[in-house]
PDB file of all heavy atoms in Angstrom:
ATOM      1  N   ASN A 732     115.165 118.723  81.981  1.00 96.00           N
ATOM      2  CA  ASN A 732     115.540 120.158  81.572  1.00 96.00           C
ATOM      3  C   ASN A 732     114.259 120.826  80.885  1.00 96.00           C
ATOM      4  O   ASN A 732     114.489 121.583  79.791  1.00 96.00           O
ATOM      5  CB  ASN A 732     116.706 120.097  80.555  1.00 96.00           C
ATOM      6  CG  ASN A 732     117.951 119.601  81.233  1.00 96.00           C
ATOM      7  OD1 ASN A 732     118.187 119.875  82.391  1.00 96.00           O
ATOM      8  ND2 ASN A 732     118.779 118.914  80.472  1.00 96.00           N
ATOM      9  N   GLY A 733     113.119 120.528  81.475  1.00 96.00           N
ATOM     10  CA  GLY A 733     111.925 121.219  80.929  1.00 96.00           C
ATOM     11  C   GLY A 733     111.295 120.582  79.666  1.00 96.00           C
ATOM     12  O   GLY A 733     110.317 121.075  79.193  1.00 96.00           O
ATOM     13  N   LYS A 734     111.815 119.439  79.222  1.00 97.00           N
ATOM     14  CA  LYS A 734     111.373 118.811  78.035  1.00 97.00           C
ATOM     15  C   LYS A 734     110.867 117.384  78.264  1.00 97.00           C
ATOM     16  O   LYS A 734     111.399 116.678  79.146  1.00 97.00           O
ATOM     17  CB  LYS A 734     112.421 118.766  76.941  1.00 97.00           C
ATOM     18  CG  LYS A 734     112.910 120.126  76.533  1.00 97.00           C
ATOM     19  CD  LYS A 734     114.085 119.942  75.422  1.00 97.00           C
ATOM     20  CE  LYS A 734     114.461 121.344  74.947  1.00 97.00           C
ATOM     21  NZ  LYS A 734     115.510 121.202  73.902  1.00 97.00           N
ATOM     22  N   LYS A 735     109.811 117.015  77.530  1.00 98.00           N
ATOM     23  CA  LYS A 735     109.285 115.686  77.691  1.00 98.00           C
ATOM     24  C   LYS A 735     109.601 114.841  76.475  1.00 98.00           C
ATOM     25  O   LYS A 735     109.296 115.249  75.364  1.00 98.00           O
ATOM     26  CB  LYS A 735     107.735 115.722  77.838  1.00 98.00           C
ATOM     27  CG  LYS A 735     107.270 116.317  79.202  1.00 98.00           C
ATOM     28  CD  LYS A 735     105.762 116.346  79.388  1.00 98.00           C
ATOM     29  CE  LYS A 735     105.189 117.429  78.686  1.00 98.00           C
ATOM     30  NZ  LYS A 735     103.735 117.581  78.929  1.00 98.00           N
ATOM     31  N   ILE A 736     110.129 113.704  76.724  1.00 98.00           N
ATOM     32  CA  ILE A 736     110.537 112.729  75.642  1.00 98.00           C
ATOM     33  C   ILE A 736     109.888 111.368  75.890  1.00 98.00           C
ATOM     34  O   ILE A 736     109.949 110.850  77.006  1.00 98.00           O
ATOM     35  CB  ILE A 736     111.950 112.539  75.491  1.00 98.00           C
ATOM     36  CG1 ILE A 736     112.691 113.860  75.251  1.00 98.00           C
ATOM     37  CG2 ILE A 736     112.419 111.549  74.415  1.00 98.00           C
ATOM     38  CD1 ILE A 736     114.190 113.853  75.228  1.00 98.00           C
ATOM     39  N   ASP A 737     109.119 110.858  74.954  1.00 98.00           N
ATOM     40  CA  ASP A 737     108.422 109.547  75.104  1.00 98.00           C
ATOM     41  C   ASP A 737     109.509 108.416  75.010  1.00 98.00           C
ATOM     42  O   ASP A 737     110.296 108.442  74.087  1.00 98.00           O
ATOM     43  CB  ASP A 737     107.425 109.381  74.005  1.00 98.00           C
ATOM     44  CG  ASP A 737     106.194 110.105  74.265  1.00 98.00           C
ATOM     45  OD1 ASP A 737     106.022 110.682  75.290  1.00 98.00           O
ATOM     46  OD2 ASP A 737     105.298 110.161  73.332  1.00 98.00           O
ATOM     47  N   ILE A 738     109.431 107.523  75.984  1.00 98.00           N
ATOM     48  CA  ILE A 738     110.353 106.433  76.038  1.00 98.00           C
ATOM     49  C   ILE A 738     109.878 105.336  75.000  1.00 98.00           C
ATOM     50  O   ILE A 738     108.647 105.112  75.005  1.00 98.00           O
ATOM     51  CB  ILE A 738     110.481 105.796  77.484  1.00 98.00           C
ATOM     52  CG1 ILE A 738     111.005 106.878  78.404  1.00 98.00           C
ATOM     53  CG2 ILE A 738     111.314 104.544  77.427  1.00 98.00           C
ATOM     54  CD1 ILE A 738     112.417 107.398  78.044  1.00 98.00           C
ATOM     55  N   LYS A 739     110.763 104.745  74.342  1.00 98.00           N
ATOM     56  CA  LYS A 739     110.349 103.747  73.340  1.00 98.00           C
ATOM     57  C   LYS A 739     110.396 102.344  74.032  1.00 98.00           C
ATOM     58  O   LYS A 739     111.041 102.040  75.029  1.00 98.00           O
ATOM     59  CB  LYS A 739     111.357 103.754  72.182  1.00 98.00           C
ATOM     60  CG  LYS A 739     111.291 105.045  71.407  1.00 98.00           C
ATOM     61  CD  LYS A 739     112.288 105.114  70.215  1.00 98.00           C
ATOM     62  CE  LYS A 739     112.376 106.358  69.563  1.00 98.00           C
ATOM     63  NZ  LYS A 739     113.394 106.416  68.496  1.00 98.00           N
ATOM     64  N   ASN A 740     109.722 101.387  73.323  1.00 98.00           N
ATOM     65  CA  ASN A 740     109.679  99.974  73.710  1.00 98.00           C
ATOM     66  C   ASN A 740     109.116  99.702  75.135  1.00 98.00           C
ATOM     67  O   ASN A 740     109.506  98.826  75.817  1.00 98.00           O
ATOM     68  CB  ASN A 740     111.157  99.353  73.686  1.00 98.00           C
ATOM     69  CG  ASN A 740     111.126  97.883  73.494  1.00 98.00           C
ATOM     70  OD1 ASN A 740     110.202  97.289  72.962  1.00 98.00           O
ATOM     71  ND2 ASN A 740     112.075  97.257  74.068  1.00 98.00           N
ATOM     72  N   VAL A 741     108.145 100.578  75.469  1.00 98.00           N
ATOM     73  CA  VAL A 741     107.335 100.377  76.687  1.00 98.00           C
ATOM     74  C   VAL A 741     106.389  99.156  76.493  1.00 98.00           C
ATOM     75  O   VAL A 741     105.912  98.856  75.359  1.00 98.00           O
ATOM     76  CB  VAL A 741     106.517 101.597  76.977  1.00 98.00           C
ATOM     77  CG1 VAL A 741     105.614 101.495  78.290  1.00 98.00           C
ATOM     78  CG2 VAL A 741     107.449 102.773  77.172  1.00 98.00           C
ATOM     79  N   PRO A 742     106.184  98.340  77.503  1.00 97.00           N
ATOM     80  CA  PRO A 742     105.308  97.209  77.383  1.00 97.00           C
ATOM     81  C   PRO A 742     103.831  97.610  76.876  1.00 97.00           C
ATOM     82  O   PRO A 742     103.427  98.677  77.270  1.00 97.00           O
ATOM     83  CB  PRO A 742     105.247  96.533  78.755  1.00 97.00           C
ATOM     84  CG  PRO A 742     105.669  97.626  79.672  1.00 97.00           C
ATOM     85  CD  PRO A 742     106.617  98.453  78.925  1.00 97.00           C
ATOM     86  N   THR A 743     103.230  96.766  76.102  1.00 96.00           N
ATOM     87  CA  THR A 743     101.915  97.106  75.658  1.00 96.00           C
ATOM     88  C   THR A 743     100.928  96.870  76.742  1.00 96.00           C
ATOM     89  O   THR A 743     100.933  95.907  77.459  1.00 96.00           O
ATOM     90  CB  THR A 743     101.532  96.082  74.523  1.00 96.00           C
ATOM     91  OG1 THR A 743     102.473  96.261  73.420  1.00 96.00           O
ATOM     92  CG2 THR A 743     100.123  96.334  73.980  1.00 96.00           C
ATOM     93  N   VAL A 744     100.012  97.833  77.043  1.00 97.00           N
ATOM     94  CA  VAL A 744      99.261  97.760  78.171  1.00 97.00           C
ATOM     95  C   VAL A 744      97.817  97.586  77.742  1.00 97.00           C
ATOM     96  O   VAL A 744      97.363  97.882  76.572  1.00 97.00           O
ATOM     97  CB  VAL A 744      99.308  99.176  79.002  1.00 97.00           C
ATOM     98  CG1 VAL A 744     100.727  99.425  79.358  1.00 97.00           C
ATOM     99  CG2 VAL A 744      98.623 100.291  78.227  1.00 97.00           C
ATOM    100  N   TYR A 745      97.026  97.018  78.712  1.00 97.00           N
ATOM    101  CA  TYR A 745      95.591  96.810  78.508  1.00 97.00           C
ATOM    102  C   TYR A 745      94.921  98.034  79.041  1.00 97.00           C
ATOM    103  O   TYR A 745      94.681  98.142  80.247  1.00 97.00           O
ATOM    104  CB  TYR A 745      95.188  95.508  79.246  1.00 97.00           C
ATOM    105  CG  TYR A 745      93.712  95.158  79.054  1.00 97.00           C
ATOM    106  CD1 TYR A 745      93.104  94.865  77.948  1.00 97.00           C
ATOM    107  CD2 TYR A 745      92.921  95.162  80.239  1.00 97.00           C
ATOM    108  CE1 TYR A 745      91.791  94.517  77.824  1.00 97.00           C
ATOM    109  CE2 TYR A 745      91.528  94.841  80.201  1.00 97.00           C
ATOM    110  CZ  TYR A 745      91.063  94.483  78.931  1.00 97.00           C
ATOM    111  OH  TYR A 745      89.650  94.131  78.915  1.00 97.00           O
ATOM    112  N   ASN A 746      94.674  99.075  78.217  1.00 97.00           N
ATOM    113  CA  ASN A 746      94.183 100.314  78.687  1.00 97.00           C
ATOM    114  C   ASN A 746      92.655 100.297  78.682  1.00 97.00           C
ATOM    115  O   ASN A 746      92.036 100.711  77.752  1.00 97.00           O
ATOM    116  CB  ASN A 746      94.722 101.409  77.775  1.00 97.00           C
ATOM    117  CG  ASN A 746      94.307 102.813  78.157  1.00 97.00           C
ATOM    118  OD1 ASN A 746      93.990 103.055  79.446  1.00 97.00           O
ATOM    119  ND2 ASN A 746      94.282 103.766  77.315  1.00 97.00           N
ATOM    120  N   ARG A 747      92.139  99.885  79.868  1.00 96.00           N
ATOM    121  CA  ARG A 747      90.660  99.744  79.939  1.00 96.00           C
ATOM    122  C   ARG A 747      90.303 100.129  81.431  1.00 96.00           C
ATOM    123  O   ARG A 747      90.855  99.549  82.331  1.00 96.00           O
ATOM    124  CB  ARG A 747      90.217  98.268  79.695  1.00 96.00           C
ATOM    125  CG  ARG A 747      88.717  98.044  79.846  1.00 96.00           C
ATOM    126  CD  ARG A 747      88.327  96.639  79.566  1.00 96.00           C
ATOM    127  NE  ARG A 747      87.009  96.281  79.847  1.00 96.00           N
ATOM    128  CZ  ARG A 747      85.966  96.452  79.030  1.00 96.00           C
ATOM    129  NH1 ARG A 747      86.199  96.897  77.742  1.00 96.00           N
ATOM    130  NH2 ARG A 747      84.698  96.123  79.318  1.00 96.00           N
ATOM    131  N   GLY A 748      89.257 101.034  81.514  1.00 96.00           N
ATOM    132  CA  GLY A 748      88.797 101.349  82.917  1.00 96.00           C
ATOM    133  C   GLY A 748      89.958 101.891  83.726  1.00 96.00           C
ATOM    134  O   GLY A 748      90.586 102.832  83.388  1.00 96.00           O
ATOM    135  N   GLN A 749      90.195 101.256  84.832  1.00 97.00           N
ATOM    136  CA  GLN A 749      91.172 101.622  85.736  1.00 97.00           C
ATOM    137  C   GLN A 749      92.625 101.008  85.336  1.00 97.00           C
ATOM    138  O   GLN A 749      93.688 101.327  85.994  1.00 97.00           O
ATOM    139  CB  GLN A 749      90.944 101.204  87.173  1.00 97.00           C
ATOM    140  CG  GLN A 749      89.646 101.956  87.726  1.00 97.00           C
ATOM    141  CD  GLN A 749      89.160 101.310  88.994  1.00 97.00           C
ATOM    142  OE1 GLN A 749      89.788 100.496  89.554  1.00 97.00           O
ATOM    143  NE2 GLN A 749      88.063 101.821  89.420  1.00 97.00           N
ATOM    144  N   GLY A 750      92.646 100.230  84.329  1.00 97.00           N
ATOM    145  CA  GLY A 750      93.931  99.609  83.943  1.00 97.00           C
ATOM    146  C   GLY A 750      94.681 100.479  82.917  1.00 97.00           C
ATOM    147  O   GLY A 750      94.210 101.163  82.118  1.00 97.00           O
ATOM    148  N   GLY A 751      96.009 100.255  82.863  1.00 98.00           N
ATOM    149  CA  GLY A 751      96.872 100.863  81.974  1.00 98.00           C
ATOM    150  C   GLY A 751      98.313 100.801  82.420  1.00 98.00           C
ATOM    151  O   GLY A 751      98.631  99.731  83.050  1.00 98.00           O
ATOM    152  N   LEU A 752      99.137 101.710  82.132  1.00 98.00           N
ATOM    153  CA  LEU A 752     100.472 101.760  82.630  1.00 98.00           C
ATOM    154  C   LEU A 752     100.401 102.495  83.999  1.00 98.00           C
ATOM    155  O   LEU A 752      99.922 103.533  84.159  1.00 98.00           O
ATOM    156  CB  LEU A 752     101.344 102.567  81.680  1.00 98.00           C
ATOM    157  CG  LEU A 752     102.876 102.622  82.020  1.00 98.00           C
ATOM    158  CD1 LEU A 752     103.477 101.241  82.113  1.00 98.00           C
ATOM    159  CD2 LEU A 752     103.612 103.490  80.993  1.00 98.00           C
ATOM    160  N   LEU A 753     100.807 101.699  85.057  1.00 98.00           N
ATOM    161  CA  LEU A 753     100.553 102.201  86.406  1.00 98.00           C
ATOM    162  C   LEU A 753     101.789 102.641  87.163  1.00 98.00           C
ATOM    163  O   LEU A 753     102.347 103.679  86.784  1.00 98.00           O
ATOM    164  CB  LEU A 753      99.898 100.999  87.174  1.00 98.00           C
ATOM    165  CG  LEU A 753      98.610 100.474  86.391  1.00 98.00           C
ATOM    166  CD1 LEU A 753      97.981  99.219  87.098  1.00 98.00           C
ATOM    167  CD2 LEU A 753      97.563 101.566  86.225  1.00 98.00           C
ATOM    168  N   ASP A 754     102.202 101.985  88.132  1.00 98.00           N
ATOM    169  CA  ASP A 754     103.330 102.492  89.024  1.00 98.00           C
ATOM    170  C   ASP A 754     104.678 102.306  88.379  1.00 98.00           C
ATOM    171  O   ASP A 754     104.909 101.422  87.435  1.00 98.00           O
ATOM    172  CB  ASP A 754     103.213 101.876  90.435  1.00 98.00           C
ATOM    173  CG  ASP A 754     103.803 102.806  91.473  1.00 98.00           C
ATOM    174  OD1 ASP A 754     104.080 104.015  91.161  1.00 98.00           O
ATOM    175  OD2 ASP A 754     103.947 102.412  92.672  1.00 98.00           O
ATOM    176  N   ILE A 755     105.685 103.013  88.965  1.00 98.00           N
ATOM    177  CA  ILE A 755     107.044 102.820  88.489  1.00 98.00           C
ATOM    178  C   ILE A 755     108.055 103.143  89.724  1.00 98.00           C
ATOM    179  O   ILE A 755     107.813 104.050  90.507  1.00 98.00           O
ATOM    180  CB  ILE A 755     107.380 103.846  87.331  1.00 98.00           C
ATOM    181  CG1 ILE A 755     108.828 103.634  86.850  1.00 98.00           C
ATOM    182  CG2 ILE A 755     107.164 105.227  87.754  1.00 98.00           C
ATOM    183  CD1 ILE A 755     109.057 104.336  85.538  1.00 98.00           C
ATOM    184  N   LYS A 756     109.031 102.277  89.831  1.00 98.00           N
ATOM    185  CA  LYS A 756     110.053 102.468  90.917  1.00 98.00           C
ATOM    186  C   LYS A 756     111.389 102.074  90.399  1.00 98.00           C
ATOM    187  O   LYS A 756     111.537 101.194  89.571  1.00 98.00           O
ATOM    188  CB  LYS A 756     109.751 101.555  92.085  1.00 98.00           C
ATOM    189  CG  LYS A 756     108.605 101.989  93.038  1.00 98.00           C
ATOM    190  CD  LYS A 756     108.860 103.144  93.743  1.00 98.00           C
ATOM    191  CE  LYS A 756     107.830 103.650  94.675  1.00 98.00           C
ATOM    192  NZ  LYS A 756     106.595 104.070  94.056  1.00 98.00           N
ATOM    193  N   LEU A 757     112.463 102.677  91.000  1.00 98.00           N
ATOM    194  CA  LEU A 757     113.870 102.225  90.688  1.00 98.00           C
ATOM    195  C   LEU A 757     114.263 101.259  91.745  1.00 98.00           C
ATOM    196  O   LEU A 757     113.910 101.304  92.864  1.00 98.00           O
ATOM    197  CB  LEU A 757     114.769 103.507  90.823  1.00 98.00           C
ATOM    198  CG  LEU A 757     114.473 104.667  89.881  1.00 98.00           C
ATOM    199  CD1 LEU A 757     115.601 105.722  90.044  1.00 98.00           C
ATOM    200  CD2 LEU A 757     114.333 104.242  88.458  1.00 98.00           C
ATOM    201  N   HIS A 758     115.100 100.303  91.275  1.00 98.00           N
ATOM    202  CA  HIS A 758     115.830  99.405  92.203  1.00 98.00           C
ATOM    203  C   HIS A 758     116.538 100.248  93.246  1.00 98.00           C
ATOM    204  O   HIS A 758     117.097 101.255  92.918  1.00 98.00           O
ATOM    205  CB  HIS A 758     116.637  98.496  91.472  1.00 98.00           C
ATOM    206  CG  HIS A 758     117.268  97.285  92.264  1.00 98.00           C
ATOM    207  ND1 HIS A 758     118.248  97.434  93.203  1.00 98.00           N
ATOM    208  CD2 HIS A 758     116.868  95.949  92.294  1.00 98.00           C
ATOM    209  CE1 HIS A 758     118.509  96.330  93.712  1.00 98.00           C
ATOM    210  NE2 HIS A 758     117.689  95.351  93.203  1.00 98.00           N
ATOM    211  N   PRO A 759     116.571  99.738  94.445  1.00 98.00           N
ATOM    212  CA  PRO A 759     117.381 100.508  95.553  1.00 98.00           C
ATOM    213  C   PRO A 759     118.874 100.616  95.079  1.00 98.00           C
ATOM    214  O   PRO A 759     119.448 101.693  95.573  1.00 98.00           O
ATOM    215  CB  PRO A 759     117.235  99.568  96.745  1.00 98.00           C
ATOM    216  CG  PRO A 759     115.984  98.805  96.563  1.00 98.00           C
ATOM    217  CD  PRO A 759     115.917  98.622  95.073  1.00 98.00           C
ATOM    218  N   ASN A 760     119.370  99.744  94.355  1.00 98.00           N
ATOM    219  CA  ASN A 760     120.783  99.929  93.816  1.00 98.00           C
ATOM    220  C   ASN A 760     120.821 100.322  92.324  1.00 98.00           C
ATOM    221  O   ASN A 760     121.600  99.863  91.597  1.00 98.00           O
ATOM    222  CB  ASN A 760     121.593  98.616  94.137  1.00 98.00           C
ATOM    223  CG  ASN A 760     121.713  98.326  95.528  1.00 98.00           C
ATOM    224  OD1 ASN A 760     121.891  99.162  96.339  1.00 98.00           O
ATOM    225  ND2 ASN A 760     121.552  97.077  95.893  1.00 98.00           N
ATOM    226  N   TYR A 761     119.859 101.180  92.006  1.00 98.00           N
ATOM    227  CA  TYR A 761     119.800 101.528  90.585  1.00 98.00           C
ATOM    228  C   TYR A 761     121.058 101.966  89.914  1.00 98.00           C
ATOM    229  O   TYR A 761     121.380 101.677  88.769  1.00 98.00           O
ATOM    230  CB  TYR A 761     118.644 102.611  90.438  1.00 98.00           C
ATOM    231  CG  TYR A 761     118.497 103.052  88.947  1.00 98.00           C
ATOM    232  CD1 TYR A 761     117.884 102.323  88.040  1.00 98.00           C
ATOM    233  CD2 TYR A 761     119.109 104.287  88.570  1.00 98.00           C
ATOM    234  CE1 TYR A 761     117.738 102.750  86.733  1.00 98.00           C
ATOM    235  CE2 TYR A 761     118.971 104.746  87.302  1.00 98.00           C
ATOM    236  CZ  TYR A 761     118.387 103.987  86.330  1.00 98.00           C
ATOM    237  OH  TYR A 761     118.266 104.410  85.052  1.00 98.00           O
ATOM    238  N   THR A 762     121.832 102.808  90.648  1.00 97.00           N
ATOM    239  CA  THR A 762     123.020 103.381  90.096  1.00 97.00           C
ATOM    240  C   THR A 762     123.998 102.282  89.694  1.00 97.00           C
ATOM    241  O   THR A 762     124.839 102.479  88.886  1.00 97.00           O
ATOM    242  CB  THR A 762     123.631 104.341  91.030  1.00 97.00           C
ATOM    243  OG1 THR A 762     123.876 103.720  92.317  1.00 97.00           O
ATOM    244  CG2 THR A 762     122.821 105.564  91.262  1.00 97.00           C
TER     245      THR A 762
END
């Protein structure tokens, strides 16, 4: 609805160079 909310308890990432928090996908049976 036009608003951005930061999700909590995200895994700690190694944010270096090309590394960081990368891809994301839902399980095919996510619902």
Side-chain angles (χ1 to χ4, degrees):
N732 298 327
K734 297 181 179 180
K735 288 183 283 188
I736 300 173
D737 285 350
I738 299 301
K739 299 176 182 177
N740 202 28
V741 176
T743 301
V744 305
Y745 182 65
N746 184 22
R747 178 182 174 87
Q749 297 169 5
L752 187 58
L753 305 174
D754 208 10
I755 183 168
K756 284 290 184 296
L757 302 185
H758 190 282
N760 297 321
Y761 175 80
T762 54

